[in-house]
Amino acid sequence: MLGGRRPRAVGEQGEPTAIVGTVTGIVASGRREGRFEVAVDGRRAVVVSLELIERLGLRVGMVLDERAGVALASGAGELATYDRALALLAAQGRSATELRRRLVQRGEPAAYAEAAVARLLAAGLLDDAAYARQLARSRVLGRGESRRRAAQVLGQRGVERAVADEAVAEVFDEESVDEATLVEEAARKRLRTLGALDEATRRRRLWGYLARRGFDGGVIRAALDRVLGAGAGGLADADGGGDDVHDATGAWGDGEVDGVEPRDG
């Protein structure tokens, strides 16, 4: 089946290339259930589904003219993109926007990526709301991130803001998460790695660490006063977090550094 002449390809640049010739074989693929390898002029040409075989009326001995060859190439291309999308989703959850972007980055045609995402959405295999809840739970409960930072991460992953805000709020409500407790626990955990530093440096490092997780300045200050004591309470305000603070804004950030108060003057 794999020998013989290569199928003749015709077509304009930017369009599916027609597979022209005679269908000489249709056999089940050993790589994926529900897929079939089509040979044209004695050589493996494309992988198709049963639905595509029936829709195009493919059969051994069928002569593919340019029109039929374009339909075959296009259908097989869409199927290959869809199968890649399934593999990406099996590896990890993704939003519709993120999956579409990833497919195009992998070299899939934008039109095929769009068709694959639409098909997955219709089948219920792609659900931004469910994905947002799963990721929000991981960021808040697993990483101890703030409400704001968790929502920003969802935005970076292609989740719409309203969907992200609702998912984060749901996690905080269902798990009875108290942000003051969350930031204090994060500070105490981080503090264990800063034991050799002086108190001023520890406070500055902790401030930056917590700011990058999206906590507000007032919440950070109160937590550090509880964890370290209020004796050096003005150090973080004076430093503004120092060099340890980085921009923690996400897809909807306002360009300010979370948790950092502006300096006077």
Side-chain angles (χ1 to χ4, degrees), residues 1-7 22-31 36-47:
M1 173 179 175
L2 297 180
R5 296 181 293 112
R6 182 181 298 276
T22 301
V23 177
T24 53
I26 302 176
V27 299
S29 172
R31 298 181 178 180
F36 299 84
E37 297 181 1
V38 177
V40 177
D41 291 341
R43 190 177 183 89
R44 179 182 181 275
V46 290
V47 174

Side-chain angles (χ1 to χ4, degrees), residues 9-33:
V10 298
E12 298 296 329
Q13 186 176 3
E15 299 179 355
T17 301
I19 301 173
V20 179
T22 301
V23 177
T24 53
I26 302 176
V27 299
S29 172
R31 298 181 178 180
R32 185 178 180 88
E33 186 176 356

Side-chain angles (χ1 to χ4, degrees), residues 28-232:
S29 172
R31 298 181 178 180
R32 185 178 180 88
E33 186 176 356
R35 300 293 180 259
F36 299 84
E37 297 181 1
V38 177
V40 177
D41 291 341
R43 190 177 183 89
R44 179 182 181 275
V46 290
V47 174
V48 300
S49 63
L50 180 60
E51 183 275 333
L52 187 59
I53 291 174
E54 294 176 344
R55 174 155 55 90
L56 299 181
L58 293 178
R59 63 190 183 280
V60 173
M62 178 181 181
V63 177
L64 299 172
D65 58 15
E66 185 173 347
R67 182 177 179 180
V70 168
L72 176 59
S74 178
E78 286 191 9
L79 182 65
T81 301
Y82 177 76
D83 284 346
R84 171 166 274 184
L86 284 176
L88 289 173
L89 282 180
Q92 69 177 66
R94 300 173 191 271
S95 69
T97 296
E98 185 182 20
L99 179 60
R100 186 184 299 108
R101 182 170 57 232
R102 186 62 171 164
L103 287 169
V104 173
Q105 288 174 345
R106 291 285 188 92
E108 300 294 341
Y112 291 173
E114 187 64 41
V117 168
R119 181 176 174 183
L120 289 166
L121 287 170
L125 298 176
L126 193 59
D127 184 334
D128 276 13
Y131 169 68
R133 289 191 296 270
Q134 177 187 15
L135 184 56
R137 189 173 300 276
S138 172
R139 304 299 297 197
V140 173
L141 302 182
R143 298 174 65 95
E145 291 182 344
S146 69
R147 185 186 298 264
R148 180 195 303 174
R149 180 56 180 159
Q152 288 172 345
V153 170
L154 289 175
Q156 292 168 351
R157 301 289 180 86
V159 178
E160 293 184 1
R161 183 164 192 167
V163 176
D165 288 344
E166 182 178 352
V168 173
E170 183 176 309
V171 171
F172 270 77
D173 291 342
E174 288 185 353
E175 301 297 333
S176 300
V177 177
D178 175 62
E179 196 154 84
T181 301
L182 195 66
V183 68
E184 184 173 340
E185 290 176 348
R188 292 188 184 281
K189 182 177 180 180
R190 183 67 169 180
L191 182 61
R192 291 197 291 268
T193 70
L194 305 175
L197 303 175
D198 61 81
E199 184 173 353
T201 302
R202 281 186 290 167
R203 178 175 286 270
R204 188 172 63 251
R205 295 281 182 88
L206 284 172
W207 185 285
Y209 174 78
L210 297 171
R212 289 192 294 273
R213 275 150 183 75
F215 294 106
D216 291 330
V219 175
I220 295 174
R221 186 181 304 106
L224 295 188
D225 286 346
R226 291 192 298 271
V227 173
L228 297 175

